[in-house]
Amino acid sequence: CQLFGYVGIEAVLDQMKVKTMKMGFEFNIMVVGQSGLGKSTMVNTLFKSKVSRKASQPGQDERIPKTVQLHSITHVIEEKGVKMKLTVTDTPGFGDQINNENCWDPIIKYINEQYERYLREEVLITRKRKIPDTRVHGCVYFVPPTGHCGGYPGVLGALSWDGGGVGRLEAMVPHLPQIQEDLKAHAISLYPQQDFDQDPEDRALNDRIREKIPFAVVGADQEHQVNGKRVLGRKTKWGIIEVENPAHCEFPLLRDLLIRSHLQDLKDITHNVHYESYRVRRLSES
């Protein structure tokens, strides 16, 4: 309908922004992978702060857990007046044992527990105006490097299949497994799924992302001097790997996908697809 004057409909965007800045929002991310792959460093690099647990240093007397133990750390971080309650769930012990047949069970159990907690609050006759959201909005799956990629050590190279756990996780939470050929061979979908592309513009963006997966990523928490500028990077005897340089690694793609372009979409898919599937199943059972 053509308007004959200014109505002020566009002001709803300002209202939404003000409301979000006052209330803040929640984002819960899980990192899965063997010990020593830099999961904590990568999360700290993503959010440019110490939001993940301190990684164990070589030489420390730290026993590998006999089973997968999930550790969650929550922080409130703020940028330009916008507050985000960030929860990072790590999975120490995952894939570190001789027999890892059941290593996915505690992870799937944890995800279901968060869905169940949300469902119990939702079905109350008198419920909270804003239900606390502890559901996992995204799972980043790390696999160990088996070679060099692009001439840089430590970057994810040839990747191997873990034995089917990702297939079980895929139907429960949006995830970014760093693997490609085996995904196709096992018919496993990954985020962003083509089924959820809403319009041609979304499809074009997501197609470019899907072409780049698996991401070859490097995390770092120290700055170095490069051509007169301070850059975040990892120093090696071959030179400095600049974390935010697309010519060196694909960290910017992972960061943009998780935070700058798809964060809200991850939350929407968690609620409208994965949680909804769990809700229907649980209510049907009862």
Side-chain angles (χ1 to χ4, degrees), residues 9 14 27 121 189 205 208 252 254:
I9 298 174
D14 294 329
F27 185 58
E121 290 285 347
S189 62
L205 173 60
R208 290 195 297 269
L254 178 62

Side-chain angles (χ1 to χ4, degrees), residues 225-241:
Q225 195 81 14
V226 177
N227 298 327
K229 296 181 180 179
R230 301 292 296 178
V231 299
L232 194 65
R234 185 176 293 271
K235 188 175 182 180
T236 73
K237 62 181 180 180
W238 294 277
I240 296 176
I241 306 173

Side-chain angles (χ1 to χ4, degrees), residues 32 75 87 159 173 264:
V32 179
H75 298 273
T87 298
L159 307 173
V173 60
Q264 186 58 50

Side-chain angles (χ1 to χ4, degrees), residues 14-15 28 69 106 110 172 192 210 212 221 224 228 234 270:
D14 294 329
Q15 297 172 36
N28 310 315
Q69 300 174 0
Y110 175 84
M172 303 176 62
R210 285 186 282 260
K212 295 294 184 179
D221 54 8
H224 300 274
R234 185 176 293 271
T270 297

Side-chain angles (χ1 to χ4, degrees), residues 19 56-57 60 74 102 105 162 181 219 240 281:
K19 185 176 180 180
S56 59
Q57 300 295 326
Q60 286 185 347
T74 299
N102 299 317
D105 291 346
D162 68 60
E181 291 185 0
I240 296 176
R281 185 174 71 252

Side-chain angles (χ1 to χ4, degrees), residues 85-139:
K85 184 179 180 182
L86 172 68
T87 298
V88 179
T89 301
D90 198 357
T91 55
F94 177 88
D96 291 333
Q97 307 303 319
I98 295 176
N99 184 358
N100 293 295
E101 182 178 357
N102 299 317
C103 63
W104 285 98
D105 291 346
I107 296 173
I108 295 173
K109 180 175 180 288
Y110 175 84
I111 294 173
N112 278 329
E113 287 174 349
Q114 309 319 306
Y115 286 157
E116 183 67 23
R117 178 182 298 183
Y118 194 92
L119 178 61
R120 288 178 180 177
E121 290 285 347
E122 193 177 44
V123 298
L124 291 176
I125 296 176
T126 303
R127 60 185 182 184
K128 299 176 182 177
R129 182 177 178 183
K130 186 176 187 298
I131 300 176
D133 190 0
T134 61
R135 298 169 298 180
V136 178
H137 300 126
C139 176

